[in-house]
């Protein structure tokens, strides 16, 4: 996407802070997280388990679990700050302007209603369609998400569909009202590669049609590389790197991003398939649990480049065109490269 | 000593699926239908395929955890599929399993040390003192501290729990370890740790693995040989380097295209080879090639006559009538950036 002008931001998250109420005061869950998703584009939010990806998504939806609250920063959806919006306003936005696909489609679908009823319900609620129009709309959505024999499947219950088809139904519900922002939390982790590729293709096709901005959550940057235009990498509740997906993938700036990319095996095809695979790079240690984050750079205890200066938390600083990274070393290497 | 440790011939597993109507014939899910393969000692044999293709059922059948409807499984000359009762119980020390969900496969009320010791207790291996020493050795072997033995499963991270499951599977010093999606529930960083651990243990202990995964990159990384399953049958089988260099079955092409790298080359490959739609129902599947419903290269013959696995090259088998005619797709352009 380099070279083209970036469309206006559909979502802009600015210095977002989320805390968990603890016995000894609030514990930081997300700290000073900033990223933006342009209209019609996809931003992938990447990070290991426990880094705060789902909490970021739930904060945007106004659905943080009990005990967690969003206490600093702004969440601007088309200019409106959701962080301070009243609950009634958030309810009205959810399902229409703003919608979400969850990791496990079975838990998000209602087992006692047919998939047709569930899509139609969204259309009735948010677009005020009558029953017949809503049913017709539901059928159209099932066709859009490429469910075979859509007319029959309208009357199927969720348990009668495969995992891939259920996720398609979730997408149909989430996109029924043409939201401006779709949040997809690991939408394909529970599915196999073939279905994953089909679902990503589908999301892209629908995005081209509707101009929806997508926030896609994953722990695997390679897996979402094809669909993401931009990425934001989270580590222990802080944003450590942002930038265009292709460039971050080709030349990650932050040591954590580099480590994440190096530790997953890459498929080698054709002539490249010959020869044994070397051992994978490992990132030693693990993400610090809540309440055990150090005062400096969160990644320093696992970072091979860490030094004394890393005791001060590095801010997210510009690192080349459209890119930013939070690492004291990044400035150094840029200087070296320039010199 | 024979080079082959595990020999699977014509393995078939069917599950009852009710009747077609009140007076209709009894129907069956043909979960595994005539699967044959051999696994060499100290090697890793991968099984890939779409969800529902029968991978886990093969694993459970090898472990004798599901009833076998037909065929033979032989472990180092011992006819596993024929063993019953006490003979089967005693044989179990030689083959163990690691599951996808490390949490569900551990008793939450028992401490890690007791969980690792359990197979030794059940199989009455060693004295109690020897078993305790063995637990400590196993903990260190999988990279867990000795104190971890006193913790409960919920006190471990996902990756640590999988280490615990591996330690437990290794306790009886098995020769064969069947791994069903052992890293699929883990994030990429933890996955790398577990994959490296599995490779190190294989080198150290001469272990033989059957490794099931839907992640082709992981399978390529770990396996010496790979079988591709579709709707209960093996449609292609080859040494790993051959399967990814010169795959011969259109279903394998679709699978590889789905997993191919990002970028224009990967997209071109998906446009050409990724098959749309879903596999047919595994309940009494139609005659002919099972992939014919989805295959872009289908002919009339494919719909009526089932293709058998036949040699495509040295050690390389594929089941497609049109194998010679279709040749090998040009994956050169999809090389990873
Ligand atoms: N309901 C909750 N109450 C308190 N803390 C929670 C709750 N849910 C999650 N956390 C904590 O918040 C932090 C961020 O969790 P989050 O679920 O956002 O991680 P994630 O990046 O989505 O991980 P995963 O890849 O495993 O889904 C973690 O330390 C987690 O333990
Ligand atoms: N106990 C059972 N009773 C009836 N049918 C079953 C049973 N177990 C599995 N099946 C069916 O057998 C087929 C093969 O299932 P299996 O679990 O082996 O697939 P798999 O390849 O492991 O899939 P996944 O990648 O989703 O784990 C499926 O159609 C499944 O629905
Ligand atoms: Mg999450
Ligand atoms: Mg399975």
């Amino acid at each position: 996407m380099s070279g083209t002008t970036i469309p206006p931001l559909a979502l802009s998250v600015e210095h977002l802070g989320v805390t968990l109420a603890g016995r000894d005061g609030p514990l930081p869950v997300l700290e000073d997280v900033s990223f933006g998703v342009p209209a019609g584009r996809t931003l992938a939010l990447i990070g290991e388990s426990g880094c705060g990806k789902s909490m970021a998504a739930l904060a945007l939806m106004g659905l943080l679990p009990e005990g967690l609250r969003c206490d600093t920063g702004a969440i601007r959806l088309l200019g409106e700050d959701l962080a301070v919006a009243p609950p009634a306003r958030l309810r009205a936005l959810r399902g229409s302007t703003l919608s979400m696909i969850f990791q496990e489609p079975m838990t998000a679908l209602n087992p006692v209603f047919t998939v047709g009823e569930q899509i139609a319900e969204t259309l009735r609620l948010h677009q005020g369609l009558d029953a017949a129009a809503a049913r017709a709309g539901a059928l159209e959505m099932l066709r859009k998400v490429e469910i075979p024999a859509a007319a029959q499947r309208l009357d199927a219950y969720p348990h009668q569909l495969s995992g891939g088809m259920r996720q398609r139904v979730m997408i149909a519900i989430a996109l029924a009202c043409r939201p401006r922002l779709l949040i997809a939390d690991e939408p394909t982790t529970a599915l196999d590669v073939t279905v994953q590729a089909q679902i990503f293709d589908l999301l892209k096709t629908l995005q081209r049609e509707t101009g929806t901005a997508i926030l896609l959550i994953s722990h695997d940057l390679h897996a979402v590389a094809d669909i993401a235009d931009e990425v934001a990498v989270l580590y222990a509740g802080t944003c450590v790197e942002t930038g265009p997906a292709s460039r971050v993938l080709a030349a990650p700036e932050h040591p954590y991003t580099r480590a994440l990319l190096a530790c997953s095996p890459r498929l080698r095809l054709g002539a490249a398939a010959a020869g044994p695979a070397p051992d994978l790079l490992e990132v030693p240690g693990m993400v610090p649990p809540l309440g055990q984050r150090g005062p400096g750079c969160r990644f320093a205890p696992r970072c091979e480049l860490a030094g004394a200066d890393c005791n001060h938390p590095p801010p997210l600083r510009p690192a080349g065109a459209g890119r930013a990274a939070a690492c004291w070393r990044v400035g150094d290497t840029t200087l070296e490269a320039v010199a | 000593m024979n080079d082959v440790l595990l020999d699977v011939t014509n393995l078939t597993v069917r599950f009852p699926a009710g009747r077609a109507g009140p007076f209709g014939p009894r129907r069956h899910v043909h979960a595994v239908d005539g699967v044959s393969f051999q696994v060499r000692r100290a090697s890793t044999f991968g099984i890939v395929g779409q969800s529902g293709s029968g991978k886990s059922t093969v694993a459970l059948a090898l472990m004798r955890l599901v009833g076998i409807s037909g065929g033979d499984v032989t472990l180092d000359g011992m006819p596993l599929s024929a063993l019953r009762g006490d003979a089967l119980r005693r044989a179990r020390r030689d083959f163990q399993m690691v599951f996808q969900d490390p949490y569900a496969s551990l008793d939450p009320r028992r401490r890690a040390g007791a969980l690792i010791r359990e197979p030794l207790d059940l199989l009455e291996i060693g004295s109690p003192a020897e078993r305790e020493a063995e637990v400590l050795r196993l903990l260190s072997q999988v990279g867990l501290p000795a104190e971890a033995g006193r913790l409960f499963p919920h006190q471990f991270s996902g990756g640590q729990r999988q280490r615990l499951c591996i330690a437990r599977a290794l306790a009886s010093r098995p020769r064969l370890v069947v791994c069903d999606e052992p890293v699929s529930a883990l994030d990429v960083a933890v996955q790398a740790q577990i994959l490296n651990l599995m490779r190190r243990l294989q080198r150290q202990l001469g272990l033989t693995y059957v490794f099931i995964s839907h992640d082709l990159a992981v399978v390529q990384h770990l396996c010496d040989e790979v079988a591709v399953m579709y709707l209960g049958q093996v449609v292609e089988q080859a040494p790993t380097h051959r399967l990814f260099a010169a795959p011969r079955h259109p279903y394998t092409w679709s699978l590889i295209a789905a997993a191919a790298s990002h970028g224009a080359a990967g997209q071109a490959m998906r446009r050409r080879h990724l098959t749309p739609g879903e596999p047919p129902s595994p309940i009494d599947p139609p005659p002919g090639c099972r992939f014919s419903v989805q295959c872009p290269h289908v002919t009339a013959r494919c719909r009526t006559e089932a293709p058998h696995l036949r040699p495509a090259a040295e050690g390389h088998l594929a089941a497609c009538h049109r194998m010679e005619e279709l040749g090998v797709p040009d994956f050169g352009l999809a090389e990873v950036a």
Side-chain angles (χ1 to χ4, degrees):
Chain A
M1 294 295 144
S2 55
T4 58
T5 51
I6 299 202
L9 292 182
L11 172 76
S12 159
V13 174
E14 294 154 17
H15 310 290
L16 178 66
V18 169
T19 56
L20 170 68
R23 226 176 303 149
D24 313 314
L27 289 174
V29 176
L30 293 175
E31 298 171 73
D32 197 23
V33 168
S34 300
F35 57 83
V37 193
R41 298 281 166 85
T42 300
L43 176 125
L45 195 57
I46 302 291
E48 268 167 279
S49 188
C51 279
K53 307 181 295 294
S54 294
M55 290 309 127
L58 295 176
L60 303 189
M61 294 289 291
L63 292 175
L64 280 172
E66 189 68 31
L68 281 100
R69 51 178 293 220
C70 171
D71 41 20
T72 49
I75 301 167
R76 283 182 223 289
L77 179 67
L78 307 171
E80 178 178 358
D81 188 357
L82 302 186
V84 295
R89 175 67 186 147
L90 284 172
R91 263 198 306 279
L93 288 173
R94 278 197 299 267
S96 57
T97 314
L98 174 65
S99 62
M100 180 156 173
I101 307 173
F102 297 86
Q103 176 168 349
E104 180 35 70
M106 211 46 197
T107 57
L109 288 171
N110 192 329
V112 302
F113 292 104
T114 67
V115 300
E117 285 164 348
Q118 296 186 53
I119 304 171
E121 168 76 5
T122 308
L123 291 168
R124 266 201 309 272
L125 213 65
H126 295 287
Q127 301 205 323
L129 299 186
D130 64 34
R135 187 172 161 92
L139 178 59
E140 193 196 321
M141 282 316 295
L142 281 187
R143 293 218 170 98
K144 277 228 171 77
V145 296
E146 293 160 14
I147 287 197
Q152 284 110 279
R153 293 264 155 66
L154 211 48
D155 299 315
Y157 289 90
H159 74 265
Q160 294 172 313
L161 303 177
S162 72
M165 276 204 264
R166 270 182 232 139
Q167 201 55 283
R168 283 168 197 267
V169 171
M170 277 305 303
I171 294 173
I173 294 174
L175 292 180
C177 296
R178 299 186 160 238
R180 303 322 299 156
L181 176 70
L182 172 70
I183 301 174
D185 190 355
E186 311 237 11
T188 58
T189 307
L191 306 175
D192 65 57
V193 279
T194 315
V195 183
Q196 172 173 311
Q198 291 171 346
I199 298 273
F200 281 175
D201 283 350
L202 173 68
L203 279 176
K204 258 193 301 195
T205 310
L206 294 174
Q207 180 177 52
R208 268 196 295 273
E209 239 173 73
T210 58
T212 299
I214 299 178
L215 176 66
L216 178 66
I217 294 176
S218 174
H219 65 86
D220 188 352
L221 183 45
H222 286 300
V224 298
D226 227 0
I227 180 173
D229 301 299
E230 302 279 320
V231 298
V233 182
L234 278 190
Y235 184 76
T238 60
C239 195
V240 298
E241 179 159 6
T242 58
S246 56
R247 267 178 280 154
V248 173
L249 260 159
E253 290 282 6
H254 198 284
Y256 178 63
T257 316
R258 246 190 328 264
L260 267 190
L261 281 171
C263 67
S264 58
R266 310 302 326 282
L267 193 61
R268 295 170 292 132
L269 298 174
D279 272 350
L280 295 169
L281 187 101
E282 283 179 43
V283 204
M286 54 192 279
V287 183
L290 293 185
Q292 291 182 31
R293 295 175 182 167
C297 170
R298 307 291 188 250
F299 187 58
R302 301 172 74 185
C303 181
E304 45 180 28
L305 301 180
D309 48 344
C310 303
N311 292 329
H312 302 286
L316 195 63
R317 299 180 296 169
R323 301 184 58 173
C327 173
W328 297 120
R329 297 290 169 275
V330 168
D332 294 355
T333 47
T334 313
L335 285 177
E336 278 160 30
V338 171
Chain B
M1 194 163 74
N2 185 339
D3 190 35
V4 170
L5 180 78
L6 179 71
D7 191 349
V8 178
T9 319
N10 237 334
L11 181 66
T12 301
V13 179
R14 284 192 208 104
F15 296 108
R19 291 175 185 278
F23 304 106
R26 238 176 238 292
R27 300 192 304 172
H28 289 96
V29 175
H30 294 240
V32 177
D33 199 1
V35 165
S36 303
F37 58 86
Q38 297 187 322
V39 184
R40 284 177 297 109
R41 277 170 215 282
S43 76
T44 302
F45 187 87
I47 305 180
V48 299
Q50 206 161 327
S51 184
S53 57
K55 306 179 297 294
S56 296
T57 308
V58 169
L60 295 174
L62 297 181
M63 294 303 299
R64 291 292 312 274
L65 293 174
V66 72
I68 296 177
S69 317
D72 297 301
V73 179
T74 310
L75 183 71
D76 208 6
M78 173 172 58
L80 281 195
S81 43
L83 295 181
R84 299 281 178 275
D86 205 46
L88 176 59
R89 196 181 64 87
R90 270 182 282 112
R92 282 199 186 276
R93 67 178 299 167
D94 276 333
F95 55 102
Q96 292 288 327
M97 183 154 172
V98 177
F99 295 88
Q100 169 170 1
D101 184 350
Y103 202 61
S105 56
L106 295 170
D107 182 345
R109 290 156 307 179
R110 307 199 63 188
R111 292 176 199 273
L115 287 166
I116 296 175
R117 208 184 52 231
E118 191 174 59
L120 301 176
D121 294 341
L122 289 173
L123 295 163
E124 291 157 12
I125 298 169
S127 68
E130 282 166 342
R131 288 177 204 164
E132 280 309 321
E134 191 65 8
V135 167
L136 292 178
R137 198 185 58 78
L138 286 159
L139 281 170
S140 95
Q141 202 162 50
V142 299
L144 289 174
E147 307 82 70
R150 287 196 298 274
L151 301 178
F152 290 99
H154 74 266
Q155 293 171 300
F156 288 90
S157 71
Q160 289 172 324
R161 274 200 290 267
Q162 200 54 292
R163 286 175 194 267
L164 178 58
C165 290
I166 292 173
R168 181 179 149 95
L170 295 181
S172 65
R173 305 202 177 189
R175 283 180 289 174
L176 175 71
V177 181
V178 176
C179 311
D180 190 2
E181 310 261 12
V183 295
S184 307
L186 308 174
D187 69 46
V188 288
V190 180
Q191 172 179 298
Q193 296 170 356
I194 297 294
L195 291 176
N196 285 346
L197 171 68
M198 287 184 60
R199 279 183 25 149
R200 181 166 59 73
L201 291 171
Q202 181 168 52
R203 282 195 293 267
Q204 284 171 358
L205 308 173
L207 292 172
T208 305
Y209 293 132
V210 170
F211 185 88
I212 293 171
S213 176
H214 61 251
D215 186 334
L216 292 191
V218 166
V219 165
Q220 177 175 50
H221 182 79
L222 204 69
C223 299
D224 301 292
E225 220 174 321
V226 181
V228 180
M229 285 189 72
Y230 183 85
L231 215 65
Q233 298 178 327
V234 172
V235 297
E236 182 160 13
Q237 184 185 323
T240 307
H241 61 89
R242 270 207 64 87
L243 189 84
F244 293 101
R248 301 302 295 272
H249 197 286
Y251 176 63
T252 312
W253 303 348
S254 172
L255 211 54
I256 289 177
S261 70
H262 49 89
Q267 278 166 23
M269 220 159 99
R270 279 194 279 284
R271 260 195 311 280
R272 233 170 338 142
H273 299 296
L274 187 66
T275 49
E278 307 214 344
S281 161
I283 299 174
D284 299 331
C289 175
R290 290 184 181 182
F291 188 54
S292 62
V293 182
Q294 284 189 285
C295 185
H297 310 283
V298 64
T299 63
R301 181 184 176 200
C302 305
R303 293 210 172 87
T304 52
E305 188 187 326
H308 295 290
L309 274 178
R310 56 201 173 91
E314 177 75 34
H316 187 164
L317 303 169
C320 173
H321 290 311
R322 303 188 63 197
M323 185 157 81
E324 288 72 16
E325 211 185 318
L326 295 174
V328 176
D330 174 22
F331 283 162
L333 85 186
E335 268 166 43
V336 179

